[in-house]
Amino acid sequence: TGDDLDGKPSRFHALMMFTKVYKSLSLQKKFQVAMRSMVKHGRFLEDEMLVLHYVSDVGSQELGEKMLPELLLDATFRYEVVFHNVDALTEKLFPIVEAMQKHFSAGSGAYYSDAIFFLSVAMHRIMPAELKHIVQLDLDLKFRNNIRDLFQEFNHFPVEAVIGIAREMQPVYRHTFWQYRKENPKSYVGDPPPDGLPGFNSGVMLLNLEAMRHSTLYNQLLEPERVARLAEKYHFRGHLGDQDFFTMIGMEHRELFYPLSCGWNRQLCTWWREHGYGDVFQLYYHCDGPVHIYHGNCNTPIPDD
Ligand code: UDP
Ligand code: MN
């Protein structure tokens, strides 16, 4: 799954949102943990290269350029760093995702700047056609295993799948789909694993850009009328951006998504346990098997090991 560009080494692409980092010490700390653990466990073959993409504002890019040489010092693999300007990407993205923002953004959802929270949804239209696979990662992660193994998961995608993503590990979508669940008491929408559909978490995503470009169904689902129709059917009103969109279309078209095992995005946030869902919380939070990546979401501290 390393993308071979005419004779150049096999390249593995990873992208992180990296905005407003220059003014947040807490984001800088998360960035250090993510990069140090990625470097510590990262192993690639000799002719391979990890390409690290950061979507940044000018201030964060300057900080990133200052911090990365030291963070990557002990890397045993070849790498390349690419910065993408957040404003330039937003300009391309806005026309594609504008119509869905009102369903999946906080507040009015009309804000131009919110479009970037939907980057993954339209990444296949933004990135050059030569780029066929990319992994999008949050900053609040800690690797316990080789990131190269994550890319190998692309090889397990069934034919119709376009995105690999782990389930959401809190009952947040049980809450969001409350009305639909009441009207459809036999449905699995919002139910816990293993049989239910708890929705997705966007902290770790495998985007098969080539498959996203070629999937007629996926591209139809980006059309404003299709999104509006589904949002109405499910009474969906969210504020979590791309992960809301993927969760909603996943209820209708499971075949588009390859379910990553929970160990690839072991979320640690327990907010919903204390907010009305204590009785069912463990059913969602539970994750068996090895943890490859910890995700300290909602600012949850990550265990030392
Ligand atoms: N992010 C960013 N700047 C910000 C806030 C968030 O670049 O000011 C990026 C960062 O990559 C982060 C991701 O957006 O990991 C998602 O936010 P966060 O992880 O805080 O959300 P959570 O996982 O807690 O829901
Ligand atoms: Mn996160």
Side-chain angles (χ1 to χ4, degrees):
T1 16
D3 286 334
D4 240 318
L5 295 176
D6 44 68
K8 281 205 227 141
S10 200
R11 298 154 80 86
F12 295 75
H13 297 270
L15 177 144
M16 299 176 122
M17 288 299 308
F18 194 74
T19 61
K20 301 177 194 164
V21 181
Y22 67 96
K23 51 183 172 185
S24 163
L25 196 56
S26 123
L27 276 176
Q28 290 165 33
K29 292 240 169 74
K30 289 171 182 172
F31 172 56
Q32 289 179 331
V33 169
M35 295 314 301
R36 289 213 170 100
S37 59
M38 187 192 291
V39 163
K40 179 175 175 187
H41 298 283
R43 296 278 180 281
F44 287 84
L45 303 179
E46 232 174 280
D47 63 341
E48 294 175 343
M49 174 183 282
L50 179 62
V51 184
L52 296 163
H53 299 258
Y54 299 94
V55 177
S56 317
D57 48 61
V58 172
S60 301
Q61 174 169 348
E62 281 175 4
L63 181 74
E65 284 169 341
K66 215 158 56 196
M67 294 175 71
L68 277 166
E70 193 204 309
L71 293 173
L72 292 164
L73 202 60
D74 295 332
T76 62
F77 49 86
R78 298 206 282 164
Y79 63 84
E80 198 174 288
V81 174
V82 181
F83 285 95
H84 301 264
N85 181 265
V86 65
D87 298 323
L89 290 192
T90 301
E91 195 174 311
K92 293 185 191 165
L93 207 53
F94 185 67
I96 311 173
V97 303
E98 178 182 9
M100 72 171 70
Q101 284 182 218
K102 60 173 167 292
H103 306 291
F104 314 121
S105 289
S108 76
Y111 297 112
Y112 181 73
S113 59
D114 285 350
I116 201 66
F117 297 121
F118 298 87
L119 175 61
S120 59
V121 163
M123 188 90 77
H124 62 304
R125 308 246 184 108
I126 304 294
M127 290 295 179
E130 309 89 74
L131 234 174
K132 293 179 178 152
H133 305 85
I134 199 164
V135 165
Q136 184 170 336
L137 303 165
D138 270 8
L139 284 183
D140 54 346
L141 304 180
K142 184 172 180 182
F143 289 82
R144 301 179 81 224
N145 260 320
N146 189 353
I147 187 175
R148 190 181 186 281
D149 295 343
L150 179 60
F151 287 92
Q152 300 311 308
E153 294 286 317
F154 276 119
N155 302 330
H156 303 311
F157 277 36
V159 278
E160 288 175 284
V162 300
I163 290 165
I165 192 166
R167 63 178 175 82
E168 168 61 44
M169 293 173 44
Q170 291 192 269
V172 49
Y173 292 112
R174 186 186 185 92
H175 183 79
T176 308
F177 286 108
W178 180 83
Q179 193 179 343
Y180 181 83
R181 289 166 55 79
K182 194 176 58 153
E183 292 170 3
N184 301 272
K186 288 190 196 134
S187 124
Y188 291 102
V189 170
D191 270 352
D195 299 323
L197 302 167
F200 299 126
N201 181 276
S202 61
V204 174
M205 293 184 288
L206 272 58
L207 308 174
N208 186 333
L209 301 177
E210 189 171 44
M212 289 166 79
R213 292 180 188 115
H214 287 137
S215 167
T216 308
L217 172 61
Y218 182 75
N219 288 286
Q220 282 171 346
L221 290 167
L222 291 176
E223 291 168 12
E225 314 77 56
R226 289 290 288 263
V227 179
R229 187 142 48 96
L230 281 185
E232 196 180 341
K233 168 175 173 180
Y234 288 105
H235 310 292
F236 198 104
R237 186 82 260 270
H239 64 277
L240 300 176
D242 54 0
Q243 87 166 47
D244 282 343
F245 174 73
F246 293 142
T247 292
M248 192 185 77
I249 67 170
M251 295 305 166
E252 197 79 4
H253 302 286
R254 256 189 273 186
E255 68 277 15
L256 290 173
F257 298 91
Y258 167 68
L260 280 183
S261 77
C262 57
W264 279 115
N265 178 6
R266 204 312 173 215
Q267 300 129 242
L268 297 170
C269 182
T270 58
W271 194 86
W272 287 93
R273 189 174 61 198
E274 273 69 60
H275 293 83
Y277 290 87
D279 53 343
V280 294
F281 188 82
Q282 278 307 325
L283 298 173
Y284 292 83
Y285 196 68
H286 179 261
C287 171
D288 263 337
V291 174
H292 309 297
I293 299 178
Y294 276 124
H295 182 185
N297 57 153
C298 80
N299 299 314
T300 310
I302 297 177
D304 272 333
D305 239 67

